[in-house]
Amino acid sequence: QGLRSSASRKMAMGRDLEKSGEASSLLAQLEELIRLNGDMKEELRMEQLNANLPGDNFDADLIFREEKSGFELWLGSLEDALCLKVLRRRGINAILNCAVEECER
């Protein structure tokens, strides 16, 4: 019975090591995905900066775009929300205010 118990423990350790390898592989994939998304976001930011007219001061980030419906989700500041000319030009027609603290000033 001692041999069976030892064999069972070794098998369990092997499974744990296998899971650990899977976890580190998933972590590496996640890190790569985050890096790629960061690179794409930086490229998009540069395109947006180049597209803005002088004095537009619109620094919001495009977080999500659904090609099929045209839905876009932007994350920006109070200043971005007040930049009405750029909002109209970009077709942004709704704003969700999640910054209670800034609005109470």
Side-chain angles (χ1 to χ4, degrees):
Q1 217 175 28
L3 289 176
R4 285 185 186 162
S5 175
S6 176
S8 294
R9 279 192 299 249
K10 287 180 182 178
M11 287 176 58
M13 285 176 56
R15 282 192 301 269
D16 289 345
L17 287 174
E18 191 176 294
K19 288 179 185 175
S20 174
E22 288 175 26
S24 65
S25 174
L26 289 174
L27 180 59
Q29 290 175 20
L30 179 59
E31 288 172 346
E32 179 66 9
L33 181 61
I34 291 169
R35 188 190 63 73
L36 289 172
N37 282 337
D39 291 346
M40 288 186 329
K41 182 178 174 187
E42 186 61 28
E43 286 177 28
L44 181 61
R45 179 183 292 281
M46 294 308 295
E47 289 174 14
Q48 292 168 354
L49 286 173
N50 292 333
N52 284 343
L53 298 174
D56 279 346
N57 298 334
F58 186 77
D59 294 323
D61 294 313
L62 180 60
I63 303 300
F64 175 79
R65 175 184 291 143
E66 185 180 71
E67 297 298 328
K68 192 173 186 178
S69 69
F71 173 81
E72 294 180 343
L73 179 63
W74 292 79
L75 181 62
S77 66
L78 176 61
E79 290 77 18
D80 296 324
L82 295 175
C83 198
L84 300 179
K85 183 171 64 172
V86 176
L87 294 175
R88 276 190 218 103
R89 190 171 68 234
R90 292 180 182 269
I92 298 173
N93 56 18
I95 296 174
L96 173 62
N97 180 6
C98 297
V100 174
E101 183 180 310
E102 281 195 26
C103 294
E104 290 178 344
R105 291 183 195 175

